[in-house]
Amino acid sequence: MIVALLGAGVVPAETPILRADDLGAVRGDGVFETMHVRGGEPWLLDEHLARMGRSAARLAISLPSTEELTALAAQACAAWDPAVEGALRLICTRGPDSGGDPTVYATLGPVGEAILRGRRDGIAVRTLPLGVDAEARVSSPWLLAGAKTLSYAVNMASLRAAGAAGADDALWVSADGYALEGPTATLVWLTDGTLCTVPAERTGILAGTTARHLLDRAGELGYRTDERLIRPEELAATDGVWLTSSVRGAVEIRSLDEKPLGPSAETARIQKLLGFTA
Ligand code: PLP
């Protein structure tokens, strides 16, 4: 793994970075972004930095400038083998509880086997109730709807719950019965030539950069696009269902709650458009 620190550049991976009272560690109080590194460059860096800025604003954390974060990403990538796919994380915590600047650093490591397998073979997904209505969170800014914060313990617990049920990933479902997003991915489906995703503004899910990029270019594959709500039970009648995120690209959901889905002939075309091969 490569580690780079704002202001210091690449440091040995075992270098201590956080103070014991860093609020990122003790409260999950901070923001982050994860992006795909291909050909030695971070993919969709500007879009990720824009979202990191929106996340930091919601938490009232003063993020370093875009130029500083771009330089940090470049320092990490310069130390990486451009022939190898990578996953780059940019992290900004609120800093030490006793005061001081935010803690800002980057890590860059290889893409995991499970991701490569999912791209190739698709994944089994389990629905999990989220316990709130689809549109409940946006009117309560303290719930940090749409912010990519370091508080991912619930997301990781959701993945473990899906794993315990024999699935590879999870799909959160609102109390009023709508599919929202995965703990680390956006839901995308194809129906009647329209590539759809869940509206982020209305629901407070994370606005996925990969899904946005895919929908913005969907015309190249001959699809129309739409943002709409869907119930999980309606996904079986569509022409393909995917989870999208920066490092995995698009992986096809091949079963939902143990009911088979697909395979969709569109998976390979979508992965190619995103620059991934299974
Ligand atoms: N939703 C959540 C909760 C996520 O954590 C992520 C990515 O990590 C996504 C969606 C997908 O976002 P992106 O395509 O920007 O990686």
Side-chain angles (χ1 to χ4, degrees):
M1 182 177 64
I2 308 290
V3 178
L5 195 52
L6 191 77
V10 172
V11 294
E14 62 277 12
T15 305
I17 305 276
L18 299 182
R19 285 177 41 156
D21 66 343
D22 193 290
L23 289 163
V26 299
R27 300 273 198 217
D29 195 357
V31 297
F32 77 108
E33 283 293 324
T34 305
M35 59 211 94
H36 189 238
V37 173
R38 46 175 71 172
E41 304 278 347
W43 182 49
L44 303 179
L45 175 66
D46 293 347
E47 289 83 347
H48 283 281
L49 291 182
R51 186 171 67 189
M52 199 173 185
R54 291 194 299 274
S55 298
R58 279 178 205 173
L59 272 72
I61 285 178
S62 49
L63 196 66
S65 69
T66 302
E67 292 70 30
E68 287 173 295
L69 292 171
T70 302
L72 179 65
Q75 285 164 341
C77 288
W80 186 251
D81 178 353
V84 178
E85 270 189 71
L88 173 70
R89 265 201 196 114
L90 296 182
I91 296 126
C92 175
T93 82
R94 194 178 296 282
D97 197 15
S98 45
D101 292 332
T103 307
V104 187
Y105 62 101
T107 65
L108 174 50
V111 173
E113 264 308 308
I115 287 185
L116 302 177
R117 209 169 36 245
R119 276 190 214 148
R120 195 184 58 229
D121 302 335
I123 53 169
V125 169
R126 182 82 180 193
T127 57
L128 297 177
L130 192 60
V132 289
D133 283 352
E135 300 183 29
R137 288 179 294 177
V138 281
S139 52
S140 303
W142 52 90
L143 296 180
L144 300 176
K148 194 165 168 68
T149 77
L150 289 171
S151 307
Y152 259 48
V154 167
N155 305 49
M156 297 300 107
S158 300
L159 291 180
R160 284 194 301 277
D168 304 302
D169 214 318
L171 176 64
W172 284 327
V173 179
S174 67
D176 47 350
Y178 295 103
L180 291 177
E181 64 180 336
T184 63
T186 310
L187 181 68
V188 173
W189 67 97
L190 181 68
T191 185
D192 297 329
T194 303
L195 199 61
C196 303
T197 193
V198 177
E201 294 273 304
R202 264 171 71 193
T203 60
I205 63 168
L206 189 72
T209 53
T210 317
R212 178 75 277 139
H213 182 76
L214 175 60
L215 264 65
D216 285 349
R217 296 188 56 187
E220 296 172 38
L221 297 179
Y223 309 141
R224 294 177 299 277
T225 62
D226 196 18
E227 295 190 9
R228 57 176 79 151
L229 293 177
I230 190 165
R231 295 179 183 276
E233 57 272 21
E234 295 170 327
L235 288 168
T238 66
D239 304 313
V241 189
W242 298 270
L243 285 181
T244 68
S245 68
S246 306
V247 174
R248 86 189 82 180
V251 298
E252 186 176 350
I253 302 184
R254 293 299 319 281
S255 75
L256 188 62
D257 294 337
E258 295 176 359
K259 291 185 203 76
L261 291 179
S264 169
E266 304 304 307
T267 297
R269 297 178 74 216
I270 287 174
Q271 288 179 340
K272 186 157 178 249
L273 183 76
L274 293 175
F276 293 90
T277 43

